[in-house]
Amino acid sequence: MNFDLTPEQDQLRDAVRALGRKYGHGYFVEKAKAGAHTTELWQEAGRLGYLGVNIPTEYGGGGGGITELAIVCEELAAAGCPLLLLVVSPAIAATVINKHGTDEQRKRHLPGLADGSQKIVFAITEPEAGSNFHRLGTVARRDGDDWLLTGRKCYISGVDEAGHVLVVARTEDSSTGKLKPALFLVPTDAPGLEKSKLDMEILSPENQFLLYLDNVRLPADALVGESLDAGLPALFSGLNPERITVAAMGAGTGRYAIERASGYTATRQVWGGKSIGSHQGVAHPLAHAAVQVELARLMIHKAATLYDAGRDLEAGVAGNMAKYAAGEAAALAVDTAVQALGGAGMTTEYGVATLLGAVRAGRIAPVSREMILNFVAQHVLGQDKSY
């Protein structure tokens, strides 16, 4: 059992940390409040090769795995720049296309995903289905050699920044019985595809959308993979990377909040010239939050290691646990940081309250804490399915 990063991974962590600090949380907040995107940071991360660390070298990537991408997600978040589209585009879309796409789809999309010039977002969630993807209502039906997609999607991140949406649909003849999903690469300017921005109480430069697909016509090669049989494995191949990288982003956010609060409490003096951090009532909650974040980081490392080793079933359990642990730890860390800073914690200047909405959402999405507990109860503890 080895808890050390390789020299290359250490170098990656240091380099990404430096990039994140070059921009910082002030940049992130400024972009979010202006309704703008973190385009400069994204483009520089792409030029430096950080967006494509998990993409094969033959397509311009770094040839690493989800471990390396988790490092990128965590370190940018630890610098106050948690980029949600790192999860959506390199983690989900690039993994799905690399593992299950056709040769032509890999050649067409992976180089752009690696250098950051292309973004592909992911659309699975629906208003009526919620966490039960077996009830997906978006239907794909053949029309000659083409496909026609009809349905609705919700809480789809970054559609306004992307060239394509990776849409999960069910084939028309599987509307009853077992789900047979199919994944399609849909251009965001395709006729029949409409988007509506959702107003969210989350300070983020990345927007959320409702999508409406009304007989969106797609050519045969928009289907991911060589046939419909690729649909289910392609779908599941993106879920573990999603959970692991979301968890890494949460752990980085927790580290950022604790660092900000600790710096303040170590120097803030109110009573008798002693720092407020010398009082256990202030120090212990921060220490407790730090322990929870570090425990989450260990599970993230385990999940990423298992995934990169091809141990998918074990990675599924560890990935869900990592996502649960990091979601709870990040929310605790930010809330504790706000409390430690007192009134200053609620100001924009001190940069912790700006993350409250995001870390609270991290306990809900991309899979809720309750569904993870259901998963662990059923698959780890051997309990009967409760739903």
Side-chain angles (χ1 to χ4, degrees), residues 151-170:
R152 293 187 299 163
K153 299 291 182 180
C154 61
Y155 305 118
I156 310 306
S157 306
V159 180
D160 55 335
E161 301 180 62
H164 288 80
V165 185
L166 184 60
V167 175
V168 183
R170 67 161 68 241

Side-chain angles (χ1 to χ4, degrees), residues 34-90:
H37 303 305
T38 52
T39 305
E40 301 88 353
L41 173 54
W42 185 272
Q43 290 178 344
E44 187 165 356
R47 286 196 303 271
L48 294 171
Y50 305 150
L51 302 181
V53 289
N54 62 312
I55 293 174
T57 56
E58 64 189 287
Y59 301 110
I66 293 302
T67 297
E68 284 74 20
L69 187 58
I71 289 172
V72 175
C73 291
E74 181 180 344
E75 290 306 320
L76 287 179
C81 298
L83 300 186
L84 180 58
L85 288 191
L86 279 171
V87 175
V88 178
S89 196

Side-chain angles (χ1 to χ4, degrees), residues 214-232:
D214 183 12
N215 283 326
V216 175
R217 183 174 292 275
L218 301 170
D221 63 1
L223 175 70
V224 173
E226 300 289 351
S227 71
L228 288 174
D229 291 336
L232 192 59

Side-chain angles (χ1 to χ4, degrees), residues 144-186:
D145 291 334
D146 292 344
W147 289 95
L148 292 176
L149 267 62
T150 299
R152 293 187 299 163
K153 299 291 182 180
C154 61
Y155 305 118
I156 310 306
S157 306
V159 180
D160 55 335
E161 301 180 62
H164 288 80
V165 185
L166 184 60
V167 175
V168 183
R170 67 161 68 241
T171 51
E172 188 176 33
D173 60 359
S174 64
S175 59
T176 59
K178 290 186 177 181
L179 172 70
K180 188 171 185 180
L183 278 66
F184 295 88
L185 286 159
V186 181

Side-chain angles (χ1 to χ4, degrees), residues 190-315:
L193 176 64
E194 300 291 337
K195 64 180 185 292
S196 175
K197 183 174 174 290
L198 286 163
D199 291 328
M200 306 291 290
E201 295 300 321
I202 300 173
L203 186 63
S204 172
E206 294 144 330
N207 296 315
Q208 301 291 314
F209 290 89
L210 290 167
L211 292 185
Y212 306 91
L213 299 99
D214 183 12
N215 283 326
V216 175
R217 183 174 292 275
L218 301 170
D221 63 1
L223 175 70
V224 173
E226 300 289 351
S227 71
L228 288 174
D229 291 336
L232 192 59
L235 172 59
F236 280 108
S237 72
L239 297 184
N240 284 339
E242 175 190 52
R243 282 148 175 69
I244 294 167
T245 50
V246 163
M249 189 169 66
T253 302
R255 284 173 51 203
Y256 166 82
I258 292 167
E259 180 181 345
R260 294 289 293 172
S262 297
Y264 179 87
T265 57
T267 55
R268 170 76 165 161
Q269 296 179 352
V270 178
W271 304 108
K274 295 178 68 176
S275 70
I276 62 174
S278 67
H279 299 286
Q280 292 178 356
V282 175
H284 282 189
L286 285 172
H288 173 66
V291 169
Q292 301 309 306
V293 169
E294 191 62 24
L295 291 173
R297 293 181 74 208
L298 288 172
M299 185 53 78
I300 293 163
H301 182 66
K302 177 179 180 179
T305 300
L306 289 169
Y307 181 84
D308 289 338
R311 295 160 65 177
D312 290 343
L313 291 177
E314 295 165 278

Side-chain angles (χ1 to χ4, degrees), residues 5-6 12 108 117 141 160 182 187 237 245 277 293 311 332:
L5 298 178
T6 67
L12 175 65
R108 188 188 316 161
S117 62
R141 60 184 178 86
D160 55 335
S237 72
T245 50
V293 169
R311 295 160 65 177
L332 174 67

